[in-house]
Amino acid sequence: MTTRSGDRSLLRRMNLLATLRCAGEVPKTIAAFAAATGLSRTAAEAVVLDLVERGWLLEDGQEGHPGAGRPARHYRVHAESGLLLGMDIGPHNIVVTVTDLLGEPLASVHRTVEPGASAPERLDFAVGVADEALAAAGKRLADVWIAGVGTPGIVHRGRVEQVMAGDFPDPDLAVRLRSRLGCPVLLENDCNLAAVAERWRGVAQDVDDMVFVLSGNRTSAGLLLNGKLYRGHSGGAGEIGALSRLGWDEAPTHLEALRVDGGPMRREQVFALAAQGDPKAVAAVDAFSQGLAFGIAALALALDPEVVVIGGGIVRAGETLLTPLRRYVNDYTYTRISTVHVSSLGNQSVSLGAVRFALDAIDAFLERTVELSSSFPAPEAATFSDIDAPVLRKGEASASATR
């Protein structure tokens, strides 16, 4: 049986992609690449050296070993060859995280948006925060391959299709950001990205079924089912806070009822007082927890998740919040959901999820290019300048954000 040259070329590109995918975050020897890909050692070495020549991999020194023979050479992803931006653009806060091509943060900047700022003003401010984060990392905007962006509201095929009260009111946010940043912009709902980040680097690593509840100025949820982000038919899965009877909109009012200097206490003040045993603060946190618990229980009964993660502006509350919240959730469900956790990612959950979203886009693009192109893509920003978010989402089953 003969093999056509086109088949050999495709097989070569597939081997290049498989080897690049298994490179991971830890430098590997040729033997390790061979074991991970199923290639012979000779074939694995040829593919690895090809990736080095193309700029995707770097030789990462040698590691000594006892006995005779040469030390084994190690190879790693050339993560410094490009940058990714993760942007969390909310109505009141903007967080921008700059990472390398492995998603390792180089800098992160959090800024508060002026109350009453218009959509154009907030867009200008978001771009300014991105410039500030890049400067903090000692990098340039020209080095950015892709910007992943999270924002509230229902996001479908790269557009904000539905905004909630107080959200960033710009359906074409991705288009406007792309024109300002000069790189592809992949837009997604902030809760969805926070859920992805939590499975990637948070308290829910390797969990396949998870509910992430993002509680800030409003509360909504992101869902991971069977290890994959679940958006629903039109991108609105998890937006059960729209049902006022669930109590998510009303829950924060219990915290805001405590006053100081003529105005409502900040949430962290209320939680700090509750931790010290202040009766009014304890009662407020208990009522707030009960308000959140009803909606969480509804999701838990519908989806039976392994883990529920709480994120947003309440993450510093810790056990002060978790103790009554777990009690109420368990009271409302027939299965005891003891694995309710607070996010470990702080205010970077959405921006890190946006980075993971961009990494998935790169992976899906490479897979598609391997199948359709006669050459393997180069590791440069120009390669990914035409990434199309709606097309990428059709093939997300192979994406690595939910690994």
Side-chain angles (χ1 to χ4, degrees):
M1 179 179 176
T2 60
T3 303
R4 293 177 298 172
S5 60
D7 294 335
R8 290 197 298 271
S9 176
L10 174 60
L11 180 59
R12 178 69 171 184
R13 296 194 302 275
M14 291 173 62
N15 287 337
L16 287 168
L17 179 58
T19 302
L20 181 60
R21 279 175 166 170
C22 77
E25 300 179 5
V26 179
K28 289 181 172 60
T29 63
I30 297 296
F33 279 110
T37 59
L39 297 172
S40 69
R41 195 190 186 288
T42 300
E45 182 174 24
V47 171
V48 167
L49 294 180
D50 193 349
L51 287 169
V52 170
E53 184 176 352
R54 294 171 187 270
W56 281 106
L57 297 182
L58 285 177
E59 185 176 343
D60 191 54
Q62 300 177 344
E63 182 177 284
H65 60 86
R70 287 188 311 177
R73 289 184 169 86
H74 288 67
Y75 299 87
R76 64 174 177 87
V77 174
H78 188 184
E80 306 88 343
S81 61
L83 300 174
L84 300 173
L85 285 184
M87 303 181 69
D88 175 7
I89 301 181
H92 304 288
N93 296 279
I94 292 176
V95 180
V96 178
T97 300
V98 181
T99 77
D100 63 18
L101 297 182
L102 284 174
E104 289 300 318
L106 304 176
S108 187
V109 174
H110 173 209
R111 294 290 179 260
T112 301
V113 181
E114 287 293 326
S118 66
E121 288 172 336
R122 283 190 277 183
L123 183 63
D124 289 342
F125 191 67
V127 173
V129 178
D131 289 336
E132 187 179 352
L134 285 163
K139 303 296 183 179
R140 304 174 305 153
L141 187 57
D143 298 321
V144 176
W145 286 14
I146 301 171
V149 179
T151 195
I154 296 175
V155 178
H156 187 54
R157 296 188 177 277
R159 281 176 53 86
V160 182
E161 299 288 355
Q162 178 70 47
V163 297
M164 311 301 176
D167 289 350
F168 199 108
D170 189 348
D172 294 315
L173 177 60
V175 175
R176 301 189 202 285
L177 268 177
R178 176 164 183 154
S179 69
R180 298 289 300 276
L181 298 175
C183 67
V185 172
L186 304 181
L187 191 66
E188 183 54 86
N189 171 267
D190 55 357
C191 289
N192 289 346
L193 293 181
V196 167
E198 209 61 50
R199 189 174 191 267
W200 181 34
R201 291 195 169 169
V203 297
Q205 293 182 43
D206 299 321
V207 172
D208 286 340
D209 298 297
M210 178 185 70
V211 170
F212 186 98
V213 177
L214 187 63
S215 182
N217 294 285
R218 68 180 184 87
T219 304
S220 54
L223 313 176
L224 286 178
L225 302 178
N226 295 321
K228 300 173 186 176
L229 185 62
Y230 182 75
R231 296 184 179 85
H233 175 68
S234 59
E239 294 288 350
I240 67 170
L243 293 173
S244 59
R245 292 187 178 183
L246 284 178
W248 276 3
D249 283 343
E250 184 183 350
T253 63
H254 299 291
L255 302 178
E256 296 162 1
L258 295 189
R259 318 290 288 183
V260 60
D261 297 330
M265 285 188 184
R266 298 194 308 274
R267 288 187 176 188
E268 54 266 33
Q269 290 178 294
V270 179
F271 288 124
L273 285 174
Q276 297 167 16
D278 180 89
K280 291 183 178 179
V282 169
V285 172
D286 188 83
F288 173 70
S289 301
Q290 187 174 21
L292 286 185
F294 196 64
I296 293 172
L299 287 170
L301 288 170
L303 303 174
D304 190 22
E306 182 179 350
V307 171
V308 174
V309 181
I310 311 296
I314 59 175
V315 295
R316 295 180 183 176
E319 290 298 323
T320 303
L321 171 68
L322 286 181
T323 298
L325 182 62
R326 285 170 176 158
R327 184 179 71 248
Y328 283 119
V329 170
N330 286 330
D331 285 347
Y332 294 146
T333 58
Y334 65 88
T335 56
R336 301 190 67 78
I337 311 295
S338 59
T339 50
V340 179
H341 300 291
V342 167
S343 170
S344 62
L345 301 177
N347 63 14
Q348 292 188 54
S349 60
V350 176
S351 62
L352 284 175
V355 168
R356 184 66 261 181
F357 191 45
L359 287 170
D360 283 352
I362 291 172
D363 183 80
F365 177 87
L366 291 176
E367 181 175 297
R368 194 168 68 251
T369 303
V370 162
E371 295 173 354
L372 302 178
S373 176
S374 59
S375 61
F376 197 79
E380 56 189 33
T383 297
F384 305 95
S385 61
D386 294 326
I387 279 183
D388 183 352
V391 173
L392 284 171
R393 289 177 184 172
K394 295 177 183 177
E396 272 186 339
S398 63
S400 57
T402 51
R403 288 175 186 165

